[in-house]
Amino acid sequence: MKTVAVIGGGITGMSAMHYLQKFANEENSEINLILFEKDAQLGGKMTTVERDGYLMEVGADSIVARHSSVQPFIDELQMQDDVVYNATGVSYILRDQKLHAIPVESVFGIPMNLNALAESTLISEAGKKALEQDLLKQEVPFTLESSVGDFLTYYFGDEIVQKQIAPVLSGVYSGDLFSLTIGATLPHLLTYKKEFGSIMKGFEANKEFYEKSAAKKFISFKNGLISLFDRIEATLENARIEKETSVTAIEKVENGYRIETDRHEAIIVDEVILTTPHQVAQKVLADEALNQALESLQTGSIITVYLAYDLPNTVLPADGTGFIVSSGNDIDCNACTWTSKKWQHTSKNEKLLIRMFYKKNNPKFEQFSKMSNDELVEIAKNDCRKGLGITEEPSFVEISKWMDLMPIYNLQHKQAIQQLEQIMNEKYPKLHLAGSSYYGVGIGLCIQNGKEIAEKIIKG
């Protein structure tokens, strides 16, 4: 019987466990599964906290619904009745102390048509006219490895990129638009340009897809994202899950791999799926040959602050779900989500719950990272006062810090991954690097990554 060890109980690791079992059952093959998770709770960066009638996701807050891996995964786990969707509403960009609505018919601030462009209150007439280049410039001097910032500026002009697109995209991918590749962010835009001669014409040709997914863009669950992990764990058979157990070393031996932990005697397994952040992989493998590629992988950090208020949701704009901060503001956060308005299930008493985001690309982030929690609370309260006019004291706050754990796919990412894959294939057959450090930061991509590796192991 083959024994497979999965290191890390985040979404990649748990989806790999699910699909290892599923494919083994379909192939009528026996398999012994073991998972090691350093924390007391599964979930990784998908962590739910309940307090005083509020439900707070202190890591990722939702799953992008339209990724092809997501719905089948939910169906297989029979969690359809637990799914909740985000409330539809307007997202804003805060600039010059004013809230500007991001046009509804836009994707990450990118207008899908001329109507969406006309609706923008952020862009001057000259800036709007610059988008004609999307129709006039037919040449495509870009590849998937080109900067997405350079690509969008070339066809749309600098103003809309800087004022409307960059605040949104940089927020989603936690990086500088000009250091992120097209392939790692919006690869379909390159396809649209090549096939239709225009990015906006590409959106128009795929209008039905975007209209269908617009109302239900994001998914969560009635009891929070953590319930996804509870369900996977409950459905696993013949699987051993070791929580509060850190893997300290992985060594290649004649019959597979020797895994050492801080709690048990070493075990020998046939194959390993290593889903931890790349810094942990570097430590447990301790191989100089891998260091250069692993050290070139880039990460970001984020601090988030939840503030719960004994106020009704109606104190905020009725049609809104949050704002992203652009330049020219006397406010410190990168973004603000009106959680109790965007996700109704997060506030049982329909009281206001707000989440502030402070990211590594924030000019003051180094200063914030050294602050005490009390100091961070004062920063967040001040941002609520300046950005939303809320002067009341919060009933409680919840702070979370994810330091150097948010993968950023810079222009060198693909080359580093190719180098890693070559070394792994040569020196570590049947040891699989997986997860957001390498193959996609979105939850849907992580599910897909876990599934693909499981299929490779079981079906060969």
Side-chain angles (χ1 to χ4, degrees):
M1 180 187 298
K2 179 184 289 188
T3 297
V4 179
V6 176
I7 318 299
I11 186 60
T12 308
M14 290 301 285
S15 61
M17 291 284 283
H18 168 78
Y19 282 109
L20 283 165
Q21 176 177 271
K22 180 177 186 292
F23 294 143
N25 289 341
E26 291 173 354
E27 297 291 319
N28 292 317
S29 61
E30 294 185 351
I31 187 170
N32 183 32
L33 300 177
I34 181 168
L35 180 138
F36 297 104
E37 168 53 49
K38 69 179 180 63
D39 293 328
Q41 179 176 281
L42 299 171
K45 292 191 285 289
M46 297 170 66
T47 303
T48 307
V49 173
E50 290 188 68
R51 180 174 173 181
D52 297 350
Y54 294 96
L55 201 64
M56 296 169 285
E57 303 294 351
V58 298
D61 72 350
S62 60
I63 304 171
V64 176
R66 65 172 176 255
H67 193 278
S68 60
S69 69
V70 171
Q71 194 59 54
F73 193 55
I74 292 171
D75 292 344
E76 290 160 8
L77 294 168
Q78 298 181 352
M79 293 190 69
Q80 302 94 324
D81 293 341
D82 297 314
V83 169
V84 293
Y85 293 95
N86 63 294
T88 57
V90 176
S91 295
Y92 293 90
I93 291 177
L94 182 69
R95 185 179 177 88
D96 299 325
Q97 308 303 325
K98 295 181 180 179
L99 290 174
H100 297 267
I102 300 174
V104 174
E105 291 186 301
S106 61
V107 177
F108 297 127
I110 303 168
M112 296 170 59
N113 50 50
L114 294 177
N115 288 335
L117 179 61
E119 288 175 7
S120 176
T121 59
L122 272 169
I123 312 305
S124 68
E125 289 305 313
K128 293 177 180 180
K129 187 173 178 59
L131 269 76
E132 293 179 0
Q133 297 303 309
D134 179 41
L135 299 172
L136 297 175
K137 290 182 177 178
Q138 294 299 300
E139 70 278 10
V140 186
F142 298 95
T143 70
L144 289 175
E145 303 315 308
S146 300
S147 155
V148 68
D150 289 337
F151 173 76
L152 291 170
T153 301
Y154 187 78
Y155 295 113
F156 286 169
D158 183 68
E159 184 179 349
I160 193 170
V161 171
Q162 294 297 333
K163 290 184 178 180
Q164 184 166 300
I165 300 173
V168 182
L169 263 184
S170 295
V172 171
Y173 292 98
S174 299
D176 175 20
L177 223 57
F178 295 88
S179 298
L180 297 169
T181 66
I182 300 171
T185 52
L186 301 170
H188 56 284
L189 298 191
L190 185 61
T191 302
Y192 290 171
K193 186 63 185 178
K194 288 179 177 179
E195 290 188 2
F196 302 99
S198 160
I199 297 167
M200 284 191 287
K201 283 185 177 180
F203 278 125
E204 189 66 27
N206 291 274
K207 184 177 181 180
E208 184 177 350
F209 168 76
Y210 288 101
E211 286 181 340
K212 185 177 180 181
S213 61
K216 297 181 177 180
K217 291 182 179 180
F218 303 102
I219 285 174
S220 188
F221 302 96
K222 294 175 182 177
N223 295 312
L225 292 176
I226 196 63
S227 59
L228 177 64
F229 296 87
D230 294 339
R231 179 61 179 165
I232 298 171
E233 184 176 12
T235 59
L236 290 173
E237 303 167 355
N238 301 321
R240 183 171 132 209
I241 295 181
E242 296 283 349
K243 301 175 186 177
E244 297 184 274
T245 305
S246 294
V247 170
T248 56
I250 301 174
E251 179 186 0
K252 190 177 185 304
V253 294
E254 183 178 357
N255 296 320
Y257 290 91
R258 184 176 186 270
I259 298 178
E260 297 182 7
T261 74
D262 61 353
R263 289 190 61 190
H264 305 287
E265 292 184 3
I267 65 167
I268 305 296
V269 302
D270 299 291
E271 297 203 33
V272 179
I273 305 177
L274 184 55
T275 74
T276 61
H278 73 273
Q279 303 97 319
V280 178
Q282 184 175 6
K283 182 178 179 180
V284 299
L285 292 174
D287 187 338
E288 289 291 334
L290 294 169
N291 285 349
Q292 181 180 354
L294 287 170
E295 287 173 357
S296 68
L297 299 180
Q298 188 176 349
T299 57
S301 302
I302 186 169
I303 298 170
T304 71
V305 183
Y306 273 107
L307 301 104
Y309 288 95
D310 190 21
L311 296 169
N313 286 325
T314 52
V315 300
L316 296 182
D319 61 350
T321 57
F323 64 77
I324 298 165
V325 178
S326 185
S327 58
N329 297 287
D330 182 22
I331 190 169
D332 288 320
C333 69
N334 292 80
C336 172
T337 296
W338 307 340
T339 302
S340 52
K341 287 175 65 64
K342 185 175 181 179
W343 299 100
Q344 294 180 4
H345 71 290
T346 63
S347 178
K348 293 180 181 178
N349 299 317
E350 298 184 359
K351 297 292 187 179
L352 188 61
L353 183 65
I354 290 172
R355 190 182 192 189
M356 293 290 188
F357 296 80
Y358 302 86
K359 300 186 178 183
K360 193 174 183 178
N361 60 357
N362 190 310
K364 295 183 180 180
F365 187 82
E366 185 175 354
Q367 178 183 344
F368 296 152
S369 67
K370 297 175 182 177
M371 287 183 176
S372 68
N373 282 357
D374 287 343
E375 290 172 318
L376 288 170
V377 169
E378 290 304 313
I379 295 292
K381 285 163 52 179
N382 196 42
D383 284 345
C384 276
R385 179 177 61 80
K386 291 180 178 179
L388 299 171
I390 296 175
T391 58
E392 287 83 354
E393 284 292 309
S395 55
F396 73 82
V397 297
E398 179 76 29
I399 297 174
S400 58
K401 301 176 181 179
W402 301 93
M403 310 306 286
D404 293 320
L405 289 174
M406 315 302 290
I408 297 173
Y409 289 8
N410 60 20
L411 299 178
Q412 291 75 45
H413 184 84
K414 184 177 181 180
Q415 181 180 351
I417 297 304
Q418 290 173 339
Q419 184 181 352
L420 277 174
E421 289 176 341
Q422 181 178 349
I423 298 171
M424 294 299 295
N425 288 335
E426 293 172 356
K427 297 188 67 174
Y428 300 98
K430 298 187 178 182
L431 194 162
H432 312 272
L433 294 178
S436 61
S437 283
Y438 316 100
Y439 298 112
V441 296
I443 294 170
L445 286 168
C446 290
I447 295 170
Q448 177 180 306
N449 189 204
K451 179 180 180 180
E452 289 173 349
I453 292 175
E455 188 170 24
K456 181 179 179 180
I457 290 172
I458 300 299
K459 298 184 178 181

